[in-house]
Amino acid sequence: MALSRIAREVKTSATLAITAKAKQLQAKGVDVVGFGAGEPDFDIPENVKNAAIKAIKDNYNKYTPTAGAPELKEAVCEKLLKDNGLKYSPSQVIVSAGAKQSILNIVLVLCDTGDEAIIPAPYWVSYPEMVIMAGAMPVFLKTTDKEHFKITKESLARAITPRSKLLFMNSPSNPTGMVYTEKELREIIGFAVEKGLYVISDEIYEKVLYDGVRHFSPATFNDNCYKKVITVNGFSKVYAMTGWRLGYAAGPEEIIKAATNIQDHTTSGANSIAQKAGVEALKGNQDSVTQMISEFDKRRKYIIERLNNIKSVSCLLPQGAFYAFPKVSDLYKKKIGGQTVANSSDLVNVLLEKAHVAFVPGAPFGADEYIRISYATSMVNIEKGMDRFEKFLCS
Ligand code: PMP
Ligand code: GLU
């Protein structure tokens, strides 16, 4: 079949695929412990649900403006000022069907055929695919646990070419849970913008932080950063609103206007009911966020300790997000469950089929030596899953 370039080149999302596979097995009655998708297992806060119910009862049914309902864009501006020290007007904000759509819009606005987009690896699975959709080239900047999965100004300098257009930053990071310090970020982003790069700062895990670590928004650093950094955030992680599909981007008006033109012809405005709920999420009581993070913290400590007690597995203590990213490559070339495991996909497949635990392979995050374990699941599941993992590797 003569499919288009995009159809030929864009791959499935490994995070979504493993989640779907685990759910299929569960539907067949297999007791699978899922550590796949990064989606909080908590309920949406009651006040947010009530705002959505009220919106339905009030017949808030019509298309909103493409870039978002004015009330939500105002709330986003207030949030960015209060939490991040970022001063934006509503014309500098676009609301989309998830942060994913906001990021794609921005990539399509900034990248042309032949442009290069620098993606620090390990990376969230969708960044390279979005760059490919734009016809541009992802350029990977590899890091390992040895350097705590962090790029530096020096490593970035080596990756920049005359075609470099865009840099992706994601702190706290999916999949590593790593968080850059203010000093590190200032140096990297300051250098990137000085070199003329645009930066997508994906801050979707900004509030999921541990051990008193702080988040910084690079667009605040100086005037040049303000002009070149597009800040992305959303409601999926902090308010557990994954299925409601709501996210946003803020940046220079010209870029946001062009992103709005693209969204005009793809999805129009995000879901109106979700947008009303989004206003309440941002403006209402934030206690549920604190509770969720303190629960994640308990799980984080437990799971990292369990992983580091398993022979041939080692894991850094993440400082943010809700993922463990253990190094497992010492298991490769060995027989596990009667099968020789050569890479992260083999390992994940054998674990799913034989031990009934669902992890995500590191390869689609650009790091085949690792696997990703989302601890956005109950403590009971985590204990059960870690028992199975440990027992299986010892069998
Ligand atoms: N960025 C990162 C780093 C993510 O992990 C995700 C996953 N949900 C997203 C963006 C997109 O989130 P959503 O589209 O659900 O807002
Ligand atoms: N971002 C989450 C993850 O990495 C949800 C799935 C997705 O959109 O990739 O698992």
Side-chain angles (χ1 to χ4, degrees):
M1 204 188 293
L3 299 182
S4 69
R5 178 196 65 78
I6 291 186
R8 289 193 311 274
E9 291 181 2
V10 173
K11 297 189 286 289
T12 185
S13 161
T15 48
L16 298 178
I18 198 86
T19 310
K21 202 166 164 187
K23 283 191 177 149
Q24 266 170 15
L25 285 169
Q26 280 159 350
K28 282 190 198 154
V30 184
D31 169 31
V32 173
V33 185
F35 292 97
E39 85 175 318
D41 53 316
F42 297 94
D43 289 333
I44 292 175
E46 222 43 49
N47 59 319
V48 177
K49 286 190 213 168
N50 287 338
I53 292 166
K54 182 169 185 316
I56 294 173
K57 290 197 169 149
D58 289 349
N59 295 308
Y60 191 64
N61 303 323
K62 304 285 188 248
Y63 292 130
T64 69
T66 295
E71 192 190 359
L72 178 56
K73 293 209 296 177
E74 290 282 359
V76 166
C77 291
E78 279 169 31
K79 179 256 176 251
L80 289 170
L81 185 61
K82 184 161 78 61
D83 292 353
N84 310 94
L86 276 165
K87 203 160 187 261
Y88 285 117
S89 64
S91 61
Q92 292 176 284
V93 171
I94 180 167
V95 173
S96 309
K100 197 180 266 187
Q101 189 187 19
S102 279
I103 300 171
L104 177 63
N105 284 335
I106 303 300
V107 172
L108 293 176
V109 165
L110 293 175
C111 291
D112 268 322
T113 310
D115 286 342
E116 292 176 357
I118 301 176
I119 306 179
Y123 45 76
W124 178 45
V125 295
S126 291
Y127 297 152
E129 306 305 317
M130 291 176 179
V131 171
I132 288 167
M133 280 188 224
M137 273 260 299
V139 172
F140 302 112
L141 196 44
K142 192 174 157 76
T143 68
T144 68
D145 53 331
K146 284 202 187 68
E147 57 268 16
H148 285 239
F149 301 112
K150 289 181 181 182
I151 64 163
T152 59
K153 176 181 159 184
E154 288 72 30
S155 64
L156 177 61
R158 288 192 290 275
I160 294 178
T161 76
R163 295 180 160 210
S164 306
K165 187 73 184 279
L166 177 64
L167 168 70
F168 282 83
M169 283 304 270
N170 175 217
S171 174
S173 152
N174 173 7
T176 66
M178 168 281 303
V179 182
Y180 284 95
T181 63
E182 182 184 9
K183 184 167 174 282
E184 289 163 341
L185 263 189
R186 274 189 186 273
E187 221 174 82
I188 297 164
I189 306 297
F191 179 70
V193 300
E194 208 180 286
K195 291 284 166 193
L197 266 67
Y198 285 95
V199 179
I200 291 183
S201 178
D202 180 348
E203 305 184 9
I204 195 149
Y205 297 99
E206 67 162 343
K207 290 190 197 284
V208 190
L209 291 170
Y210 313 106
D211 302 331
V213 163
R214 284 183 60 203
H215 169 79
F216 297 91
S217 291
T220 59
F221 291 163
N222 58 42
D223 279 357
N224 211 8
C225 288
Y226 187 75
K227 286 184 195 135
K228 292 282 198 171
V229 178
I230 299 92
T231 305
V232 176
N233 211 322
F235 297 78
S236 287
K237 314 296 171 182
V238 173
Y239 303 106
M241 289 167 66
T242 44
W244 293 34
R245 310 308 303 126
L246 199 63
Y248 55 90
E253 200 168 321
E254 196 185 346
I255 293 176
I256 297 302
K257 175 77 185 81
T260 308
N261 291 348
I262 292 173
Q263 198 168 292
D264 263 348
H265 300 290
T266 50
T267 53
S268 315
N271 178 300
S272 61
I273 308 300
Q275 290 192 60
K276 276 280 185 197
V279 173
E280 177 59 28
L282 292 179
K283 291 191 156 184
N285 187 300
Q286 303 291 309
D287 286 354
S288 63
V289 182
T290 324
Q291 280 158 18
M292 184 171 78
I293 289 156
S294 110
E295 186 55 36
F296 281 147
D297 193 16
K298 287 186 209 141
R299 300 173 185 180
R300 170 185 76 121
K301 288 178 179 142
Y302 175 80
I303 203 166
I304 303 303
E305 197 183 325
R306 287 294 303 263
L307 288 167
N308 282 322
N309 279 332
I310 302 175
K311 197 168 160 256
S312 308
V313 174
S314 63
C315 193
L316 291 179
L317 185 68
Q319 294 180 307
F322 37 67
Y323 306 106
F325 201 59
K327 185 157 187 252
V328 290
S329 51
D330 285 351
L331 295 167
Y332 301 167
K333 309 272 162 54
K334 291 190 180 151
K335 269 214 159 150
I336 297 170
Q339 224 166 290
T340 308
V341 163
N343 52 41
S344 59
S345 295
D346 285 355
L347 180 64
V348 161
N349 282 334
V350 76
L351 283 165
L352 182 57
E353 277 156 28
K354 303 213 169 148
H356 299 154
V357 276
F359 299 140
V360 190
F365 298 94
D368 194 33
E369 304 91 333
Y370 304 84
I371 54 172
R372 194 192 77 174
I373 304 179
S374 160
Y375 50 86
T377 186
S378 71
M379 206 55 174
V380 173
N381 273 344
I382 294 174
E383 282 173 27
K384 192 155 99 176
M386 284 301 111
D387 286 348
R388 285 185 191 180
F389 184 34
E390 190 170 10
K391 202 166 147 211
F392 189 68
L393 292 184
C394 294
S395 62

